[in-house]
Amino acid sequence: MTSKQNTQQKILDAAERLFAETGFSATSLRQITSMAEVNLASVNYHFGSKKELIQAVLQRYLSLLMPRLDQEFTRLLASQQHNDLSKVLTVFVIPLLELNKVQNRGTTLFLQLLGRGYTDVQGHLRWFFNHHYGRTLDKFVLLVQQSCPTLPASEIFWRLHFSLGTIVFTMASNEALKDIAAADFNEIVEIDGVIKRLIPYLAAGIAAPI
Amino acid sequence: MTSKQNTQQKILDAAERLFAETGFSATSLRQITSMAEVNLASVNYHFGSKKELIQAVLQRYLSLLMPRLDQEFTRLLASQQHNDLSKVLTVFVIPLLELNKVQNRGTTLFLQLLGRGYTDVQGHLRWFFNHHYGRTLDKFVLLVQQSCPTLPASEIFWRLHFSLGTIVFTMASNEALKDIAAADFNEIVEIDGVIKRLIPYLAAGIAAPI
DNA sequence: TCCAGATTCAAACGTACATTTCAAACACTT
DNA sequence: AAGTGTTTGAAATGTACGTTTGAATCTGGA
């Protein structure tokens, strides 16, 4: 029983790291199982298929993050005062950063995986995501709309997707960017630092005049 | 002789379309040659390998676009007047949109390919790009710095990468975004429309107060 | 201690891929 | 029209992949 848990955990740990680094389809089950030091067949035994493994890797983070976000969004929506955009974004970011507590480099890994999910695969991940967490995201969009009452909804739609691109791409090339920043500007930047830099950029972009 | 040109062209046309749609590694030479209606072996005969085909597909656009951009940047740098950020971005965008003249949907295809290049592959495309066109990009960075003289160089570095992420991600998921926009807002958006929406967003983000 | 169910293991299966090979077809010059 | 170099064609090669299989090995309760 404990060894089963151990094997599943080892597979998930290795898979999330490799998936984040090189993408879902470019990572083979053989790479995963050899890094996890388990048998090749154990992925199919414990998870059924590679597709289901991918979903399980994402679920580990999503099942923690999304209820937390939902709760924060609900709280903000209930408070009848005006929430400015920076505040909304900060409320979004805090639970994201807390993923670092549950797992080493958790925030970065999760965002990288999210990015892979958008660029790697065509169908099943986006469906999976919207189906499970569409309600929560709707609340976020509503909050942004309230904070920018002059912007039409379609403009907000586009700008939020632009912002998603910023976040996802930044995290996907996070390692390279950190190296360049260190070499060119003597800057040591961790994930918190990147996110702190992101917030004013995103807030200004989303709220930009048309 | 004419048939050789034809075969190469047919391969490039099919390849760029499939690469943009599903990524470089997810597209097989068999898909490409069957869409192009040429023999499987002709890719290796005309281009040497799949890797070289990828570079040839990108080169078709880059060899047009980058000298054009370089010329525009040089002109702006030479004119001793102040260039504000929107103008710099617009000068960047115009040659990009002109790719539509040389090929149907050229701009979209090129930007999608660029996005794939950043997310699909790890090494050789980024090297290829910086090695051939690093000088031109430096001029662009210089222009942005001149247009935002109060921003420290390191902040501009980060914000330009944020912006690159916005562009690349938006183009990579362009088809999906268009579909959602059409379904949710009855909006028909072409590439020009997306770029027009991007510019104020990017300009505001890059120039945001710290 | 022994047994049933859970887990691991090595091996194999079928499929898809990029690339190579070599003969056939072609195009162009003389 | 012949001959030469270029291009195409069909087939095969070797490799890597996800998945399946069935026996071996564990594990915890009777």
Side-chain angles (χ1 to χ4, degrees):
Chain A
M1 193 59 73
T2 74
S3 79
K4 169 192 169 182
Q5 304 255 16
N6 248 319
T7 297
Q8 285 186 330
Q9 209 92 336
K10 284 195 285 184
I11 291 173
L12 287 172
D13 288 342
E16 80 169 6
R17 198 172 133 191
L18 290 170
F19 283 155
E21 274 171 17
T22 46
F24 295 117
S25 36
T27 302
S28 71
L29 295 185
R30 285 170 172 82
Q31 287 177 267
I32 294 171
T33 52
S34 98
M35 169 177 284
E37 295 177 304
V38 301
N39 188 271
L40 170 63
S42 53
V43 169
N44 289 287
Y45 177 75
H46 286 289
F47 297 95
S49 66
K50 184 180 180 181
K51 186 193 272 186
E52 287 166 287
L53 172 63
I54 292 173
Q55 295 186 355
V57 165
L58 283 170
Q59 269 292 41
R60 236 192 346 180
Y61 288 101
L62 289 171
S63 63
L64 277 174
L65 177 67
M66 297 310 285
R68 181 71 206 287
L69 281 179
D70 196 271
Q71 164 190 336
E72 296 289 331
F73 295 159
T74 306
R75 189 174 56 77
L76 242 63
L77 284 172
S79 85
Q80 287 293 28
Q81 71 196 41
H82 174 78
N83 303 299
D84 79 347
L85 187 54
S86 288
K87 184 174 177 189
V88 174
L89 292 181
T90 302
V91 163
F92 187 94
V93 159
I94 289 173
L96 216 51
L97 287 175
E98 281 176 1
L99 294 179
N100 269 333
K101 293 179 186 162
V102 65
Q103 176 107 359
N104 192 30
R105 301 208 327 125
T107 307
T108 307
L109 282 169
F110 169 70
L111 287 173
Q112 287 179 335
L113 292 170
L114 196 64
R116 298 294 183 184
Y118 260 87
T119 52
D120 250 35
V121 200
Q122 37 307 53
H124 83 286
L125 275 184
R126 213 161 324 185
W127 182 91
F128 172 81
F129 194 69
N130 278 327
H131 181 257
H132 283 77
Y133 303 110
R135 300 274 178 85
T136 299
L137 293 182
D138 288 345
K139 291 180 187 169
F140 176 69
V141 172
L142 193 56
L143 279 168
V144 173
Q145 281 175 340
Q146 287 180 359
S147 75
C148 307
T150 63
L151 279 182
S154 66
E155 198 69 35
I156 288 182
F157 160 82
W158 281 102
R159 292 183 176 182
L160 285 181
H161 274 95
F162 295 161
S163 304
L164 180 60
T166 308
I167 295 169
V168 154
F169 176 86
T170 301
M171 295 309 148
S173 42
N174 188 30
E175 295 306 310
L177 291 182
K178 271 168 61 177
D179 293 349
I180 302 173
D184 289 8
F185 306 106
N186 280 346
E187 269 194 2
I188 309 297
V189 188
E190 283 311 314
I191 182 72
D192 316 47
V194 177
I195 292 183
K196 295 266 161 58
R197 283 177 190 270
L198 266 170
I199 289 187
Y201 175 91
L202 295 176
I206 294 172
I210 304 186
Chain B
M1 192 59 71
T2 74
S3 77
K4 170 192 169 185
Q5 305 256 16
N6 248 319
T7 298
Q8 285 186 333
Q9 209 92 337
K10 284 195 283 183
I11 291 173
L12 286 173
D13 288 343
E16 80 169 6
R17 195 170 137 193
L18 290 170
F19 283 155
E21 273 171 17
T22 45
F24 296 115
S25 37
T27 302
S28 71
L29 295 186
R30 284 170 172 82
Q31 288 177 266
I32 293 170
T33 53
S34 97
M35 170 178 284
E37 295 177 303
V38 301
N39 189 270
L40 170 62
S42 53
V43 169
N44 289 286
Y45 176 74
H46 285 290
F47 297 95
S49 66
K50 184 178 181 182
K51 186 193 271 185
E52 287 165 286
L53 172 63
I54 293 174
Q55 295 185 354
V57 165
L58 284 170
Q59 270 291 41
R60 227 180 9 166
Y61 288 101
L62 288 172
S63 63
L64 277 175
L65 177 67
M66 296 310 285
R68 182 72 207 284
L69 280 180
D70 195 271
Q71 165 190 335
E72 296 290 330
F73 294 160
T74 305
R75 189 174 57 75
L76 244 63
L77 284 171
S79 85
Q80 287 293 27
Q81 70 196 41
H82 174 78
N83 302 300
D84 81 346
L85 187 54
S86 288
K87 184 174 176 187
V88 174
L89 292 181
T90 302
V91 163
F92 187 93
V93 158
I94 289 173
L96 216 51
L97 286 175
E98 281 176 1
L99 294 179
N100 269 335
K101 294 178 187 163
V102 64
Q103 177 105 2
N104 192 31
R105 300 207 328 126
T107 307
T108 308
L109 284 168
F110 170 70
L111 286 173
Q112 287 179 333
L113 292 170
L114 196 64
R116 297 295 182 185
Y118 261 87
T119 52
D120 251 34
V121 199
Q122 36 308 54
H124 83 287
L125 274 184
R126 214 166 318 190
W127 182 91
F128 171 81
F129 194 69
N130 277 327
H131 180 258
H132 282 77
Y133 304 110
R135 298 273 178 85
T136 300
L137 294 182
D138 288 345
K139 291 180 188 169
F140 176 68
V141 173
L142 194 57
L143 278 169
V144 173
Q145 280 175 341
Q146 287 179 0
S147 76
C148 307
T150 62
L151 278 182
S154 67
E155 198 69 34
I156 288 182
F157 160 82
W158 281 101
R159 291 182 177 183
L160 283 182
H161 275 94
F162 294 161
S163 303
L164 180 60
T166 308
I167 295 168
V168 155
F169 176 87
T170 301
M171 295 308 148
S173 42
N174 188 30
E175 293 306 311
L177 291 181
K178 271 169 60 176
D179 293 349
I180 302 173
D184 288 9
F185 305 106
N186 279 347
E187 267 196 2
I188 309 296
V189 188
E190 282 311 314
I191 183 69
D192 317 47
V194 177
I195 291 183
K196 294 266 162 57
R197 282 174 192 271
L198 264 170
I199 289 186
Y201 175 91
L202 295 176
I206 293 173
I210 304 186

